[in-house]
Amino acid sequence: MQIKRCTTLMTVVLAGTVQMVGAADDADKLGKTVTQVGAEIEGNADGSIPRYTGGLTKKDAPPGFDPKSGRWVDPYAAEKPVLSITAQNLAQYQDKLSEATRELIKRFPESFRVNVYPTHRAMGYPDRFNELTKANVGRCQMVENGLSLKGCFGGVPFPFPKNGMEVMWNNTTAPKPGHYSMISQGMYVDANGTPIQCAVQDTLVDSPYHDLKSSLAEYESGGQRYFRAMVKQLAPARIAGDGNMLTYTTDPVAFKNQFYQYQQGNRRVRVSPEAQYDFPTTVSGGAAFYDEIGLFLGKMDRYDWKLVGKKEMYIPYNTQRTLYTKMEDLTSAGSGRHPNPDLIRWELHRVWVVEATLKAGERHASPKRRYYIDEDNYGAGMMDSWDKAGKLHKLVTQLPFMAYDLGTPVGTATLTYDLSTSVYYLNTQFAEPNHGIFPRDTVFTASTWSPEGLARRSAR
């Protein structure tokens, strides 16, 4: 019996040692044989995906860029498409387009196309972020059946993802400025192609997970809040003065995600437990779900997640031209029934493919989803979804760009096309001169992130 116990103990110790050595070997690969976030350094065989050289930095800022403006001048504005994928040549390129993207081309053969531009692997990261990504290797773990993280902070949680949930955690915690405010508008377009300004919003965002001045110990002791947002509605008049506050954690089992809403009409803050999963977001007119923000946001408990592999796909990328355009320009093609294809830049990138299938006994309006997550920036990519009848339901795309002066990608905007109703919704657009993203060096005070803080800020 004693010999058996000793043998078992030795097996456990040896397994732990092998795991530690493997993690150390993987961490050593970062920045050497793979990029700092675990992507392939080399380009593809024909050069249409170039070699990764580090991403844009301050020195790459185009003429006219003002770091206080809240806007980032498009460094590739002068480029022309190298390819346009239309209904006529769709068969030639369909293996690199998602099913929902192909459906849009088929549905609007005369007016919708995918304009493909030269690929720029523009996304880069601060040195501290890269250090934290390396520290996460071996230290960062999924617990509670993958629903929570432990030992993860600052960088990519899993730069060598081994399953679908690890890829989705990388997407959920995708890099962003740690603290910022934002003035933006939301745009809803009905089935007739009529654009509606559904919101003008003043938003505060804290991402304690990405506070590079903090530490793992401070992050975990503070409730593992990876994303907090407080939205004050400025327009239209019917919702002006309303507000909502969302808090998401990387341990939603121990620290529940929290949702509050303030209504100007009754001057009360109420808890909004329904503001998650497939519940429609506040101003989207039913077009977008809470768990579609950023491709996925929230708890992963309703799906089984399968990592299919990696492939080359056309996805929206370096998308300033979409974000800084006027609403009427974005709806100026196809009688407004789809976004103007000349204002969406697509590029060829390598993506992780993850399929989400609804678990038995669970409920969701999209029982099947397929995600395409960029290897260079886990906050970039797209998602196709299917409804309960097995029909294509939605195309959800992220609209990322590189904040070259900050050294980090930005992906605040999500464009959702509902194929079942033919409406679409862009949650973040910077159409007016005072619109923009304004980074901060300091954390918003703790009292800000409270029901009382929401009421104070939202009241007219």
Side-chain angles (χ1 to χ4, degrees), residues 39-326:
E40 298 174 42
I41 292 177
E42 297 304 322
N44 61 359
D46 65 7
S48 53
I49 296 177
R51 190 176 194 274
Y52 184 76
T53 58
L56 299 180
T57 63
K58 286 182 180 180
K59 64 180 178 58
D60 300 304
F65 169 64
D66 177 0
K68 296 181 180 180
S69 68
R71 294 166 173 253
W72 284 264
V73 176
D74 184 355
Y76 311 118
E79 291 185 345
K80 303 297 182 184
V82 296
L83 168 68
S84 285
I85 303 174
T86 66
Q88 286 68 44
N89 62 0
L90 176 60
Q92 185 178 350
Y93 302 101
Q94 63 180 357
D95 63 316
K96 290 181 172 63
L97 294 171
S98 78
E99 285 191 45
T101 307
R102 299 199 299 265
E103 174 60 26
L104 275 179
I105 294 175
K106 293 174 183 177
R107 187 173 293 192
F108 304 107
E110 301 301 322
S111 55
F112 188 78
R113 61 192 175 276
V114 169
N115 287 335
V116 180
Y117 290 77
T119 295
H120 294 281
R121 300 177 70 180
M123 307 304 171
Y125 305 91
D127 290 341
R128 174 65 173 157
F129 179 94
N130 294 333
E131 292 168 4
L132 291 168
T133 297
K134 182 172 288 190
N136 281 338
V137 179
R139 179 185 73 178
C140 181
Q141 299 176 12
M142 293 193 303
V143 295
E144 301 288 352
N145 295 315
L147 300 182
S148 300
L149 297 184
K150 178 182 179 181
C152 314
F153 172 70
V156 175
F158 304 104
F160 302 96
K162 298 177 177 60
N163 55 62
M165 292 188 83
E166 290 188 350
V167 173
M168 296 313 297
W169 271 118
N170 288 351
N171 165 253
T172 296
T173 60
K176 59 177 66 68
H179 319 286
Y180 61 92
S181 60
M182 180 171 70
I183 305 291
S184 63
Q185 73 174 29
M187 182 187 76
Y188 173 92
V189 183
D190 67 20
N192 295 318
T194 304
I196 302 165
Q197 185 192 66
C198 53
V200 177
Q201 301 177 324
D202 181 353
T203 306
L204 305 183
V205 175
D206 258 349
S207 181
Y209 182 92
H210 296 107
D211 184 351
L212 302 184
K213 297 178 182 178
S214 186
S215 66
L216 173 62
E218 185 177 0
Y219 173 69
E220 291 191 332
S221 66
Q224 297 188 206
R225 300 177 180 91
Y226 72 85
F227 178 74
R228 299 188 289 199
M230 181 182 292
V231 180
K232 178 180 180 179
Q233 307 292 352
L234 304 179
R238 60 183 172 79
I239 60 171
D242 288 356
N244 58 73
M245 181 173 65
L246 313 173
T247 299
Y248 291 88
T249 86
T250 49
D251 188 0
V253 176
F255 306 100
K256 302 296 184 183
N257 296 329
Q258 296 178 325
F259 314 95
Y260 295 94
Q261 185 175 31
Y262 175 84
Q263 292 180 316
Q264 180 67 29
N266 57 29
R267 297 181 181 275
R268 290 183 179 179
V269 175
R270 69 176 185 89
V271 178
S272 300
E274 73 278 1
Q276 53 185 326
Y277 299 115
D278 56 354
F279 194 80
T281 59
T282 306
V283 297
S284 68
F289 300 150
Y290 274 95
D291 69 358
E292 292 170 342
I293 298 172
L295 297 184
F296 187 83
L297 184 64
K299 205 172 177 182
M300 295 192 221
D301 56 333
R302 295 193 179 181
Y303 289 99
D304 289 318
W305 303 87
K306 177 184 177 182
L307 177 57
V308 178
K310 191 187 284 187
K311 65 177 299 186
E312 296 177 8
M313 292 282 290
Y314 295 116
I315 60 175
Y317 221 83
N318 296 309
T319 56
Q320 282 99 325
R321 72 182 60 201
T322 309
L323 301 178
Y324 299 146
T325 191
K326 295 287 187 180

